[in-house]
Amino acid sequence: MKIAVLVKQVPGSESPLPMVSSQDWLDESQVAYIMNESDNYALEEALQIREKNNDGEVVIISLGPNRIQKVIREALSKGADRAIHIQTDGSYPTDPLVTASLFSETLKDENFDLIFSGLQSDDLGFGQTGVLLGELLNMSTATLAMSTEIIDNKIKVKRELEAGYFQWVTMSLPASISVQSGCNTPRYPSLKGIMGAKKKEINVITPPVMDQNQSIKKIYAPNSAKETVMVEGSVDQIVEKLVNIFRNEIKIT
Amino acid sequence: MDILIIIEDNNGKSHRMGLESIAAAQHMSDKLGLSASAMVMGKNADSLASEASAYDLDEVLVLKHDLLNEYSSDGYAEAVKQIIESENPTYILFGHSYQVRDYVPKISAKLMRPFLADSIAIHFDEKNVSLTKQMFNAKLLSDINPSGDAPYLISFQSASFLSDDAKTGSATSREVSVMLDSSMIKTDSEEPFKEASGGVDLTAAELIVSVGRGIGKEENIPMAQELAAALGAELSSSRPVVDSGWLSPSHQVGSSGQSVSPKMYLSLGISGAIQHVVGMKASKNIVAINKDPEAPIFEIADYAVIGDLLEIVPKLTEALQ
Ligand SMILES: Cc1cc2nc3c(=O)[nH]c(=O)nc-3n(C[C@H](O)[C@H](O)[C@H](O)COP(=O)(O)OP(=O)(O)OC[C@H]3O[C@@H](n4cnc5c(N)ncnc54)[C@H](O)[C@@H]3O)c2cc1C
Ligand SMILES: Nc1ncnc2c1ncn2[C@@H]1O[C@H](COP(=O)(O)O)[C@@H](O)[C@H]1O
C-alpha cells in the first residue's frame, strides 16, 4: 500500500500573528510554526495502516517555502519513509485549486493507493484541498474521517456528520481521505526516529506558476459586536469581581 | 440565471442554513440587481420545494433522480455540476454544512472554478464582489476576491445571514433533470447512526463550566471539576480536550457535539473557534477566561477576564465554597 500524507506547516495557536504593512499577509519572521493539527492525525492514520499491513510506504507531501522542511523532518522522524517538498519562494498560494493542482501534477505518476490530509488548515482554513486533489486524480473521496479500515482493495471510513451522527462509507481505492482531529492518538517521535529522519530523502520540486482564481485582498483583526464587561485587576480582585457578577448580575443562587 | 441557491435536505425539511442562504441571495439580488432561484434535490425534493416556494425567489428547481435519493458526494457533485452547466448561474450559494464540505469541492475541481468556502460576509464594489472569511482560527479576517470567469461557488458560515430576514413571496417550481449512472458513484454509504449515548446531557443545564486546551494537561481537569461543583454547574469542553482523552465525548460542545443554552457558560481556556461557538452562543451569559486578549471568544463574551486560568480558577473555587 502506497500512502501519501499532506502535511502543512501553520502558525501555532499561541504564535503572534503580526501583519506586513501591505496588510495582505503575516510578517512570517515573527511567527512560530507547527504541524497543522488534523494533519498530525492524518499522518498517524497512515502510519498505522502501514504497520498493520506490514508493508508499504508513507510519503509526506508538503508545499511551501523552505521553512516547511521543519515539519517535513518532524513527520519523517515519526516514521514516514520519504518526502516531497514542493518549493514555493514566498509563502504558499492562497487559492486551494492552485495548491491542489500543483499536488496533482506532482503525484499523478506516483500512483498512490491512498492520500490522507487534514480536514482543514489552521491558517487559511479552506477545508477542501484533500477533496480537490482526490477529484483531480479521479479518486474516491471522503471527508471528516473518524476511523478507517482497509478491507481487500477497499477502504471503509467512519465519517462524522452533523449533530452527533456518524456514517460508514465504503469505497474502492485509490481514495483521498481527509481526517477529523481525534480519530487516533498521534505518536511522538522517538530519539531513534529523529536520528533516522536525517538520512531520509526529501525530494525538492519547483512548481510552475499558476494563475489564482481567488486571492487575499486584505487581512485584518475582527471587531467585537457585543458589549463586553472587562473584569480586571489582580487575581484576588478578579475573583472578588467574578463572585459579585455571579451573585448580583447573573443571579446564580 | 444569476444566483442559484442549493437547499440541503434535513430529513424532509430544509436545513436551517437553507433559509440563511435565501437571505444571502436576496441581499445580493438587491445590491447587484440579480435574479435568484433555488434548487432542491433528492427523495424529499417535493416537500423542500413547497417550503422554498414560499420565499421571494424567481424559481425553485426540483431535481429528482433515483441515484440522488440517498446522498453521495459523487452523485451530488455531478448533479449540481450538470445543473450549473445547463442553467449558467453566476453565483451558486450553499450553507457551509458538513455535507457541503464533503461534495462542493468536487464541483470546484470538475469546473476548475473557485469555491469560496465558509464566508461570513459579502461586499460589493461596483459589480465586483469580495467575500470575508475567518482565517488563523478566527483570530483574523480576510477579504478574498474571486477572479476569472464565472461561475463562483460560495458557502456561508452558519448565522452569517439571518433566516428571519428571508423575504417571503411565491416562486414557481420547475422540474429539472440530469444524466447520472451508477458507475459514477464510487462510495457505498450505510445509514447514519448515533453512538450509544450515556454520559452527560448538557442541553438542559442551567450552569456550565467549560474547559478548553488552555487547561494544559489532564491533571488540571479536577481543578475545573471542583469549580463546577462549587457552582453547582455541569462540566463541558471543547473538542481538543475530548480528542486528547481528558474527558469523554459526551462533554463536547460545538457543531459535532452538543448545543447548549445555559444561564451562564463559564469558558476556561477556549479560543472561540466557530465550530465551538455555534454550540454555546445561545447562552444567556458568557463569561470567558483566556490569557490571550486577541482570543475570538472575547467577541461574544459578556464578561471577559484576560488572565491565567490556572491562577484564577483555584481561588475562585475557594471564594465560592
Ligand atoms: C468540522 C469541524 C468540526 C469541529 N467540531 C468542534 C466541536 O464540536 N467542538 C469544538 O470545541 N471544536 C470543534 N472543532 C475544532 C475547532 O475548530 C477548534 O479547533 C477548537 O474548538 C479549539 O479548541 P480550544 O479553544 O480548546 O483550543 P485552542 O484553539 O488551542 O485554544 C486554547 C486557548 O486557551 C488559551 N489559554 C492557554 N493557556 C491558558 C491559561 N493558562 N489561561 C487562560 N487561557 C489559556 C489560549 O490563549 C487559547 O485561546 C471542529 C472543527 C472542524 C473543522
Ligand atoms: N501547502 C500545503 N502543504 C501541505 N498540505 C497542505 C497544504 N495546503 C493544504 N494542505 C492539506 O490540505 C488540508 C486542508 O487544507 P485547506 O483546504 O487549506 O483547509 C490540510 O490539512 C493539509 O493536509
Side-chain angles (χ1 to χ4, degrees):
Chain A
M1 183 101 24
K2 221 176 136 180
I3 310 174
V5 186
L6 307 183
V7 173
K8 188 176 190 187
Q9 191 193 42
V10 299
S13 67
E14 312 228 328
S15 169
L17 300 171
M19 257 157 313
V20 292
S21 55
S22 54
Q23 269 216 19
D24 55 1
W25 195 240
L26 301 181
D27 176 358
E28 296 200 352
S29 65
Q30 297 184 54
V31 175
Y33 287 99
I34 59 164
M35 186 185 296
N36 191 50
E37 183 173 18
S38 49
D39 301 2
N40 198 14
Y41 289 94
L43 172 59
E44 181 63 34
E45 203 66 16
L47 293 173
Q48 288 188 14
I49 290 175
R50 188 194 61 190
E51 283 155 12
K52 227 176 269 167
N53 291 286
N54 233 328
D55 93 296
E57 195 188 22
V58 172
V59 183
I60 302 303
I61 320 289
S62 193
L63 182 149
N66 274 329
R67 60 168 162 81
I68 71 170
Q69 290 213 358
K70 189 157 169 265
V71 295
I72 295 178
R73 286 283 171 215
E74 183 185 338
L76 292 173
S77 68
K78 289 186 178 198
D81 299 285
R82 62 180 168 100
I84 301 175
H85 173 191
I86 306 171
Q87 191 181 39
T88 57
D89 18 290
S91 195
Y92 22 62
T94 53
D95 177 355
L97 258 184
V98 166
T99 304
S101 301
L102 295 176
F103 283 146
S104 89
E105 273 307 302
T106 311
L107 302 190
K108 65 175 196 286
D109 301 324
E110 290 257 7
N111 294 315
F112 284 103
D113 300 296
L114 274 170
I115 298 174
F116 280 111
S117 57
L119 86 160
Q120 190 159 321
S121 58
D122 288 330
D123 52 356
L124 301 174
F126 293 120
Q128 51 187 292
T129 305
V131 181
L132 291 172
L133 174 58
E135 184 66 28
L136 291 172
L137 292 173
N138 202 16
M139 293 173 144
S140 319
T141 65
T143 55
L144 290 158
M146 286 302 290
S147 74
T148 67
E149 208 179 310
I150 306 286
I151 307 168
D152 302 323
N153 209 26
K154 295 194 161 184
I155 183 165
K156 194 174 173 194
V157 178
K158 183 180 166 191
R159 294 192 55 234
E160 182 177 290
L161 307 180
E162 257 153 58
Y165 279 88
F166 298 90
Q167 178 176 42
W168 284 100
V169 181
T170 306
M171 67 209 78
S172 52
L173 301 181
S176 175
I177 313 285
S178 68
V179 309
Q180 170 64 295
S181 66
C183 63
N184 52 38
T185 309
R187 68 194 65 191
Y188 291 96
S190 64
L191 193 58
K192 188 164 155 259
I194 294 170
M195 299 313 288
K198 299 199 174 121
K199 292 187 231 90
K200 288 179 180 168
E201 176 201 331
I202 301 179
N203 182 9
V204 181
I205 292 179
T206 316
V209 176
M210 288 180 68
D211 281 344
Q212 298 213 140
N213 305 290
Q214 53 175 296
S215 47
I216 294 179
K217 196 168 64 171
K218 178 169 112 187
I219 296 187
Y220 49 99
N223 50 27
S224 171
K226 203 159 177 174
E227 252 184 57
T228 304
V229 177
M230 302 304 294
V231 184
E232 292 163 325
S234 67
V235 171
D236 288 327
Q237 287 166 330
I238 288 173
V239 166
E240 200 187 311
K241 286 180 187 170
L242 281 176
V243 172
N244 188 37
I245 289 166
F246 293 168
R247 298 223 165 103
N248 303 322
E249 295 186 35
I250 304 180
K251 303 205 188 324
I252 297 171
T253 45
Chain B
M1 179 181 299
D2 299 321
I3 306 173
L4 178 63
I5 308 150
I6 310 294
I7 295 191
E8 183 173 327
D9 180 13
N10 182 19
N11 292 315
K13 284 216 153 104
S14 157
H15 190 286
R16 69 188 153 73
M17 282 188 230
L19 299 185
E20 294 174 5
S21 310
I22 292 177
Q26 290 174 340
H27 173 70
M28 289 174 71
S29 314
D30 290 350
K31 295 277 177 181
L32 300 173
L34 300 177
S35 69
S37 295
M39 182 167 88
V40 295
M41 58 186 153
K43 61 171 184 280
N44 295 316
D46 285 327
S47 56
L48 295 176
S50 64
E51 224 181 303
S53 54
Y55 288 88
D56 183 15
L57 295 168
D58 262 25
E59 275 187 310
V60 177
L61 311 190
V62 184
L63 174 59
K64 292 183 207 162
H65 193 291
D66 285 348
L67 292 172
L68 298 175
N69 283 342
E70 298 305 329
Y71 167 76
S72 71
S73 56
D74 293 316
Y76 274 43
E78 181 59 31
V80 175
K81 178 211 143 204
Q82 290 184 20
I83 294 296
I84 292 171
E85 284 171 342
S86 57
E87 303 285 336
N88 262 312
T90 307
Y91 302 101
I92 304 96
L93 303 193
F94 306 83
H96 195 66
S97 66
Y98 284 27
Q99 186 172 100
V100 162
R101 283 173 173 276
D102 195 49
Y103 82 94
V104 177
K106 292 168 93 86
I107 308 173
S108 170
K110 283 169 193 277
L111 298 169
M112 288 306 281
R113 300 305 313 136
F115 172 32
L116 298 123
D118 207 9
S119 305
I120 60 167
I122 183 161
H123 309 280
F124 311 93
D125 161 23
E126 306 279 319
K127 289 267 159 186
N128 298 323
V129 301
S130 68
L131 282 307
T132 304
K133 173 172 172 45
Q134 295 175 324
M135 283 190 173
F136 302 98
N137 277 322
K139 285 197 193 153
L140 295 173
L141 298 180
S142 69
D143 286 345
I144 299 192
N145 281 347
S147 49
D149 295 333
Y152 310 106
L153 303 155
I154 300 172
S155 69
F156 284 106
Q157 188 172 93
S158 163
S160 302
F161 289 86
L162 300 178
S163 47
D164 287 351
D165 291 346
K167 290 190 288 276
T168 55
S170 69
T172 51
S173 300
R174 168 162 63 97
E175 295 250 350
V176 289
S177 62
V178 292
M179 309 257 279
L180 298 175
D181 74 75
S182 54
S183 68
M184 293 169 172
I185 296 168
K186 294 189 276 235
T187 56
D188 188 9
S189 307
E190 294 170 31
E191 279 295 299
F193 64 94
K194 266 197 165 160
E195 291 300 345
S197 59
V200 273
D201 179 11
L202 301 166
T203 53
E206 265 280 281
L207 303 172
I208 291 179
V209 171
S210 197
V211 288
R213 202 196 323 253
I215 194 86
K217 52 183 178 190
E218 188 167 12
E219 292 72 38
N220 290 336
I221 296 286
M223 182 193 289
Q225 274 161 338
E226 283 156 28
L227 175 58
L231 279 164
E234 296 284 352
L235 188 68
S236 74
S237 79
S238 67
R239 181 168 195 122
V241 172
V242 169
D243 287 348
S244 307
W246 301 344
L247 286 172
S248 70
S250 66
H251 290 85
Q252 184 173 314
V253 167
S255 63
S256 32
Q258 302 191 51
S259 289
V260 301
S261 50
K263 186 166 164 187
M264 175 175 80
Y265 190 88
L266 174 53
S267 143
L268 309 174
I270 294 178
S271 63
I274 179 63
Q275 296 86 4
H276 183 77
V277 167
V278 290
M280 48 67 74
K281 66 166 182 235
S283 307
K284 314 298 172 290
N285 292 283
I286 298 170
V287 184
I289 304 181
N290 194 306
K291 67 175 185 192
D292 177 5
E294 318 281 342
I297 190 78
F298 290 133
E299 286 161 45
I300 57 155
D302 299 285
Y303 300 93
V305 181
I306 298 168
D308 186 343
L309 76 93
L310 301 176
E311 289 176 15
I312 297 167
V313 170
K315 291 202 169 172
L316 184 57
T317 308
E318 213 181 282
L320 288 164
Q321 275 162 350

